[in-house]
Amino acid sequence: MYNLLKGKKGIIFGALDENSIAWKTAERVFEEGGKFVLTNAPIAMRMGKINELAQKTGAEIIPADATNIDDLQNLVTKAMEILGGKLDFVLHSIGMSVNVRKNIPYTESNYDFTLKGWDVSALSFHKVCQVLYKNDAMNPWGSIVALTYMAAQRTFPDYNDMADNKAYLESIARSFGYFFGKDKKVRVNTISQSPTPTTAGQGVKGFDGFISYAEKMSPLGNATAQECADYTVSLFSDLTRKVTMQNLFHDGGFSNVGVSQEVIEQFSK
């Protein structure tokens, strides 16, 4: 590979199994010479295969509920101890909607479920950034990245309240990105990824049909989880030092296409 991350160290949130973007990113970071700790909520760790990933990449695992400040403080403190200093990169790859899981329509949202999903999917990013910021845990020119989706800007009815969560997440990247940039010279960005067949993504109603539609709409086709990992590595590297407070579309061009010839032909049959 290119040794883009040689000597760099960080934290990767959200690796569940080999379909996870966080999992693919961890593998690519390892290949590029980076070192990291892996973290996920205890319940997610029981469901997934994170131990397998840790063995493969030589990483240690620190369980943490990303909605809990005490857990995050413990995570950041221990990560710096294990890795031997401040961090250079952090990936926030966390998302969950109870309303989606329970097939509750957006117009009938259970607001207790809405708050839980918002806390896990969006507010947790602010909490992660706050703990990193207060602990001065990031090296200058470090990079913090969160994963999002274009439903933050456009309506995808079955994406439900996750669309609201992603819009809030992207706003946090801009707002915290300002302070991290001014005060710490640290970058904060979001990647708006193509629909990707991860464990979480496949929980959205009509997912298979939509991923096929997105493929037909995108000039370059859908971006895979592996390709998203490559893009994330570029944002962790020194090659993107002046990229911050951005929502970066990684979707094969989908976000800028009104209609494609393939879709016209499909509906002209």
Side-chain angles (χ1 to χ4, degrees):
M1 293 300 175
Y2 309 101
N3 277 328
L4 286 175
L5 303 180
K6 185 177 181 180
K8 294 189 181 298
K9 46 197 177 293
I11 299 173
I12 295 177
F13 286 80
L16 184 66
D17 56 35
E18 59 274 6
N19 296 316
S20 305
I21 292 172
W23 183 291
K24 301 290 189 187
T25 301
E27 291 177 329
R28 285 294 291 117
V29 169
F30 177 68
E31 290 169 357
E32 292 295 341
K35 296 181 180 180
F36 49 86
V37 298
L38 296 165
T39 186
N40 215 329
I43 186 170
M45 291 177 62
R46 291 194 295 271
M47 291 167 54
K49 305 176 182 177
I50 196 169
N51 289 318
E52 179 183 320
L53 179 62
Q55 289 179 347
K56 182 177 181 179
T57 59
E60 291 198 38
I61 303 168
I62 305 174
D65 175 355
T67 68
N68 185 292
I69 292 292
D70 290 338
D71 275 16
L72 291 173
Q73 179 64 54
N74 177 67
L75 168 65
V76 169
T77 300
K78 284 190 174 179
M80 288 194 291
E81 289 174 1
I82 291 167
L83 297 169
K86 293 185 181 183
L87 310 173
D88 300 292
F89 60 85
V90 174
L91 176 65
H92 179 283
S93 181
I94 305 169
M96 184 278 295
S97 167
V98 185
N99 283 307
V100 169
R101 286 183 179 177
K102 293 185 177 292
N103 296 313
I104 298 172
Y106 184 79
T107 52
E108 299 173 21
S109 292
N110 176 307
Y111 295 121
D112 288 334
F113 294 163
T114 299
L115 287 171
K116 178 63 176 175
W118 170 69
D119 196 13
V120 172
S121 305
L123 191 62
S124 66
F125 188 46
H126 194 286
K127 292 176 181 178
V128 169
C129 287
Q130 185 183 87
V131 171
L132 293 168
Y133 183 89
K134 284 187 171 182
N135 284 271
D136 196 23
M138 300 292 296
N139 277 318
W141 306 110
S143 177
I144 302 169
V145 173
L147 297 179
T148 185
Y149 182 55
M150 200 176 69
Q153 289 84 33
R154 300 185 188 177
T155 302
F156 296 86
D158 292 327
Y159 204 63
N160 209 306
D161 59 348
M162 277 301 297
D164 303 333
N165 296 336
K166 293 300 188 185
Y168 192 87
L169 178 86
E170 291 175 17
S171 181
I172 291 168
R174 289 188 294 271
S175 298
F176 232 123
Y178 174 83
F179 294 103
F180 252 125
K182 290 287 287 183
D183 300 337
K184 313 283 187 181
K185 290 293 183 284
V186 171
R187 299 163 278 162
V188 185
N189 295 289
T190 53
I191 295 175
S192 188
Q193 167 71 358
S194 292
T196 310
T198 62
T199 302
Q202 289 172 326
V204 176
K205 181 182 175 184
F207 182 81
D208 290 342
F210 182 68
I211 199 169
S212 176
Y213 167 74
E215 181 72 24
K216 288 181 170 64
M217 280 283 285
S218 307
L220 296 179
N222 290 330
T224 66
Q226 186 65 60
E227 289 165 335
C228 188
D230 291 338
Y231 193 35
T232 304
V233 164
S234 76
L235 289 174
F236 287 166
S237 80
D238 290 334
L239 300 178
T240 51
R241 278 190 166 200
K242 292 298 174 70
V243 180
T244 195
M245 299 166 63
Q246 302 299 310
N247 180 48
L248 301 160
F249 289 100
H250 185 250
D251 59 7
F254 180 92
S255 49
N256 274 325
V257 175
V259 69
S260 68
Q261 190 61 40
E262 290 85 351
V263 169
I264 289 173
E265 289 172 0
Q266 184 74 28
F267 284 95
S268 298
K269 290 179 181 178

